[in-house]
Amino acid sequence: MKEECCSRERVKIALKSIGKEQLEIILKEDKKAEVVCPYCNKKYQFSKKDLTEIMMEI
Ligand SMILES: [Zn+2]
């Protein structure tokens, strides 16, 4: 089976890599994040709660 180009776990890692300050701005302005995979166009939604959890893991 072919490996998938993306996963929620990978998108989470990408979000962590943009840094706490940037995530704080997203939380303040949008209160959510939507990440689209550039390869398969799959959308990943992150709620305020998800983003808060990601920030705490940084
Ligand atoms: Zn993908």
Side-chain angles (χ1 to χ4, degrees):
M1 209 177 100
K2 200 173 157 273
E3 200 192 333
E4 281 188 27
C5 57
C6 57
S7 71
R8 196 170 169 85
E9 225 23 67
R10 277 197 219 173
V11 176
K12 253 183 155 178
I13 292 163
L15 279 172
K16 279 183 195 175
S17 75
I18 69 169
K20 220 167 195 166
E21 275 174 35
Q22 203 58 41
L23 286 171
E24 261 169 29
I25 293 166
I26 295 169
L27 259 179
K28 226 169 134 185
E29 290 180 356
D30 301 327
K31 295 174 182 70
K32 61 177 170 59
E34 187 181 276
V35 180
V36 182
C37 173
Y39 306 105
C40 68
N41 288 321
K42 188 173 172 166
K43 281 182 189 173
Y44 292 89
Q45 309 269 359
F46 291 87
S47 66
K48 190 180 178 181
K49 186 176 165 282
D50 295 329
L51 290 172
T52 307
E53 279 172 11
I54 289 167
M55 275 174 62
M56 287 191 302
E57 288 171 21
I58 295 174

